Amino acid sequence: MSKLFYRSTRGTDNWLESSEAMIKGIASDGGLYVPEVIPKINQPLDKMLSMNYQELAFYIISKFFADFTAEELKYCIRKAYDKKFDDPLIAPLLQKDKAFFLELFHGPTLAFKDLALSILPHLLSTAARKNAINKKIMILTATSGDTGKAALEGFAGVEGTKIMVFYPKDGVSIIQERHMTTQTGDNTCVVAVKGNFDDTQSGVKEIFSDRIFSRELNRNGYILSSANSINIGRLIPQIVYYVYAYLNLSKQEKIKADEKVNIVVPTGNFGNILAAYYAKKMGLPVGRLICASNENNVLYDFINTGIYNKKRKLIVTSSPSMDILVSSNLERLLYDISGRNADTVNSLINDLNTKGEFKITAGMKNEMADFYGGFATDRETFETIKHVFYRFGYLMDTHTAVGYNVYRKYVDESGDRTKTIIVSTASPFKFPGSVSRAIDKKYKDMDEFSLVEVLSDISGQKIPETIKSLSKRKILHNTICEVGQMKDVLRDMLGI
Ligand SMILES: *Cc1c(COP(=O)(O)O)cnc(C)c1O
């Protein structure tokens, strides 16, 4: 395989192979790693129709991670996309009315992050081996609920890795907490922190920036790493399901050869939609990329005005995984639309850090013409869940509903009749409170465990296994600590 190097969007950290970029996670200049070029899909799409998810994953991922051997990648893919997904298709595509829902919630934590977090641990441990790093990878994560559990599931039992997840004691739902505290795998550790999410996250950041502590860990055989969504080991595997969905449409004869499709992505950190953009750059026939935000509509404003402004209050919405004011992965798009100009990126990011906003040039804005930005309020989100459920018998979670709402707005505004894939990022069973309340207010005082049953009754869908067994599973983690004790808790886990 020919070499493909990675470079930082901020210009000073270049010529890394993918395995090195994965281990480093973020570049030393603070930038994100991007491939030198986006490889092309270099065979006719109709020759690819017989590929299953795993075969397609190999075809796409091997183009980006060219320093991995075929055996290494196949091993990672086999370990990632197996029976832990409750649908053998991994990412099934369902037609409801005129829209096609790409269901990315059939993994162990019922949300799309499973697609990337089930392969990242294997890529990382393989990368460490390739680079002759004879240390264990110690993953640290602060979580407001969802990412932490998905990371735990991904890393549990993966050789050469350990993972510690910190969550705010009173900042996660009962179901989320139970999911984490019942986590199995003797390389996993879950700790509740007395404080809110910001305190917890600051504590983790403090650990990452403490060089002396990091040397202490190195001496004891560990390197610190994170499972953050800016890691290329998470980003690249997300391209696969866009190509897969397109091929599925072809197979179902819903589109003609090379017909363009639009893609709607409920967006927070801009990782998932960036993968769709990369799929388009690889040559997939994609028309518009529709970026759906909730009331934290920074990206909506940015796409429409060219001004990114984070100086606003974070609003807590019913689609919490999209409650974000700074979308880290946007930096990779900025790099691209500036003609891969690291100086421009540096100056924009500098403006964001010092003034709280930046403005791109008209030329850069033109380069983003494929993107459409829309947003939905919480009220619209609830109405959308109810409408789609009664009209088409399809139960959506709150994040997917934001996507569907923005899709309808786009069609009404543009009259564009292009066939559209809506990315379904979470199962309705993951957010039983909001989803059932959207269907009928009478459920508003019931607890989450009972509401899961309600959702199953009204939708006729089976309760996912991971939730069903939850109340019976043994609690395996019960450590609670102060923010100031997080390092000691980590030393305890590692016995140092
Ligand atoms: C993380 C997440 C998102 C946002 O994805 P980004 O890649 O951060 O834009 C949307 N929906 C759900 C359910 C998520 O967990």
Side-chain angles (χ1 to χ4, degrees):
M1 278 183 256
S2 59
K3 283 195 180 245
L4 174 65
F5 288 105
Y6 284 76
R7 58 175 58 171
S8 162
T9 47
R10 301 194 195 168
T12 56
D13 199 1
N14 302 330
W15 306 111
L16 279 86
E17 295 201 283
S18 73
S19 58
E20 298 171 280
M22 248 173 242
I23 292 170
K24 289 193 73 176
I26 188 159
S28 33
D29 57 10
L32 310 193
Y33 290 115
V34 285
E36 244 178 342
V37 290
I38 305 288
K40 294 278 182 215
I41 297 172
N42 56 359
Q43 55 172 291
L45 289 166
D46 61 9
K47 292 274 181 309
M48 297 164 66
L49 294 179
S50 63
M51 288 186 185
N52 63 21
Y53 195 89
Q54 293 78 358
E55 288 162 340
L56 184 68
F58 177 74
Y59 176 77
I60 300 288
I61 298 173
S62 62
K63 289 184 177 296
F64 286 91
F65 299 162
D67 53 324
F68 285 70
T69 66
E71 290 66 40
E72 286 168 341
L73 278 186
K74 282 182 179 160
Y75 171 82
C76 295
I77 289 166
R78 200 167 57 238
K79 288 295 221 179
Y81 306 118
D82 60 8
K83 290 266 161 43
K84 63 170 104 41
F85 287 83
D86 71 7
D87 190 310
L89 294 174
I90 308 294
L93 190 70
L94 249 79
Q95 180 170 15
K96 293 290 164 189
D97 190 28
K98 293 194 180 64
F100 296 88
F101 288 89
L102 174 61
E103 293 190 347
L104 299 181
F105 55 72
H106 291 274
T109 76
L110 311 177
F112 95 93
K113 289 185 180 67
D114 289 330
L115 275 295
L117 280 166
S118 57
I119 190 165
L120 176 74
H122 301 287
L123 290 169
L124 272 178
S125 67
T126 308
R129 213 170 331 116
K130 295 177 76 61
N131 288 277
I133 294 172
N134 52 1
K135 294 187 169 48
K136 285 200 171 183
I137 293 174
M138 178 68 231
I139 299 286
L140 282 193
T141 304
T143 187
S144 51
D146 288 341
T147 307
K149 177 61 186 177
L152 283 164
E153 278 296 330
F155 282 91
V158 176
E159 208 162 309
T161 71
K162 288 188 188 244
I163 176 165
M164 180 171 269
V165 168
F166 293 100
Y167 70 92
K169 179 69 189 113
D170 299 314
V172 300
S173 78
I174 294 175
I175 288 198
Q176 284 175 323
E177 178 170 42
R178 187 69 68 87
H179 264 308
M180 291 191 277
T181 55
T182 56
Q183 179 66 48
T184 56
D186 51 16
N187 63 336
T188 68
C189 188
V190 177
V191 180
V193 177
K194 291 185 198 154
N196 60 25
F197 176 62
D198 282 338
D199 302 328
T200 310
Q201 191 165 40
S202 308
V204 167
K205 281 194 178 149
E206 214 278 302
I207 298 181
F208 274 111
S209 60
D210 182 341
R211 303 240 164 142
I212 297 173
F213 185 61
S214 149
R215 275 200 293 275
E216 177 187 340
L217 291 179
N218 283 171
R219 274 197 311 278
N220 285 282
Y222 295 96
I223 45 172
L224 274 186
S225 187
S226 92
N228 201 294
S229 84
I230 57 178
N231 197 306
I232 55 152
R234 272 182 71 174
L235 178 63
I236 302 301
Q238 296 184 159
I239 299 171
V240 176
Y241 45 74
Y242 290 108
V243 182
Y244 185 67
Y246 187 90
L247 294 176
N248 262 338
L249 278 178
S250 253
K251 249 193 291 201
Q252 298 175 23
E253 298 183 348
K254 304 290 184 193
I255 49 174
K256 296 193 283 288
D258 297 325
E259 181 175 334
K260 279 193 177 172
V261 301
N262 291 341
I263 299 176
V264 182
V265 188
T267 297
N269 221 1
F270 209 76
N272 206 0
I273 195 166
L274 187 78
Y277 171 75
Y278 279 6
K280 177 166 185 166
K281 296 200 79 157
M282 290 187 82
L284 194 71
V286 175
R288 303 300 296 276
L289 294 159
I290 297 166
C291 175
S293 302
N294 63 23
E295 283 168 56
N296 296 293
N297 54 5
V298 190
L299 286 166
Y300 162 80
D301 287 342
F302 173 65
I303 292 169
N304 287 291
T305 64
I307 297 171
Y308 193 98
N309 180 346
K310 68 165 183 183
K311 289 176 292 182
R312 51 183 102 192
K313 244 188 132 116
L314 185 82
I315 300 168
V316 177
T317 73
S318 65
S319 42
S321 302
M322 294 157 65
D323 290 345
I324 286 174
L325 294 182
V326 178
S327 302
S328 339
N329 269 296
L330 186 69
E331 183 166 337
R332 288 186 164 110
L333 182 70
L334 296 175
Y335 183 72
D336 241 53
I337 59 175
S338 65
R340 304 175 76 80
N341 187 329
D343 291 337
T344 306
V345 173
N346 271 305
S347 118
L348 294 174
I349 298 296
N350 189 45
D351 282 353
L352 185 66
N353 291 338
T354 55
K355 301 180 201 143
E357 66 173 42
F358 65 74
K359 183 174 199 297
I360 57 172
T361 62
M364 286 172 77
K365 193 161 176 294
N366 274 341
E367 292 292 315
M368 305 179 33
D370 287 342
F371 285 88
Y372 169 91
F375 77 97
T377 63
D378 251 8
R379 192 193 175 127
E380 288 172 323
T381 304
F382 287 136
E383 282 166 4
T384 304
I385 291 174
K386 186 171 181 176
H387 171 79
V388 171
F389 177 65
Y390 284 112
R391 184 82 203 278
F392 308 114
Y394 188 60
L395 197 58
M396 295 181 296
D397 94 293
T398 45
H399 303 75
T400 309
V402 168
Y404 188 84
N405 180 275
V406 170
Y407 157 68
R408 293 302 320 168
K409 284 175 182 155
Y410 169 74
V411 172
D412 289 347
E413 216 173 273
S414 65
D416 185 355
R417 293 279 173 262
T418 307
K419 303 218 172 63
T420 300
I421 293 169
I422 295 171
V423 178
S424 216
T425 52
S427 156
F429 288 100
K430 187 153 188 165
F431 299 96
S434 301
V435 174
S436 58
R437 220 174 327 125
I439 302 291
D440 196 325
K441 286 205 176 54
K442 73 179 179 203
Y443 300 123
K444 73 178 178 6
D445 295 324
M446 288 170 70
D447 72 87
E448 288 197 341
F449 284 107
S450 322
L451 287 172
V452 165
E453 313 255 340
V454 166
L455 289 185
S456 174
D457 285 346
I458 62 172
S459 71
Q461 287 179 44
K462 278 203 301 231
I463 300 174
E465 216 40 59
T466 47
I467 293 193
K468 209 153 73 186
S469 55
L470 198 57
S471 55
K472 291 184 222 94
R473 280 211 294 270
K474 222 172 121 188
I475 293 186
L476 301 169
H477 306 268
N478 52 18
T479 308
I480 302 179
C481 79
E482 306 280 346
V483 177
Q485 299 171 320
M486 289 162 70
K487 273 178 214 164
D488 288 330
V489 172
L490 182 55
R491 284 192 184 97
D492 271 355
M493 178 197 189
L494 301 177
I496 62 178

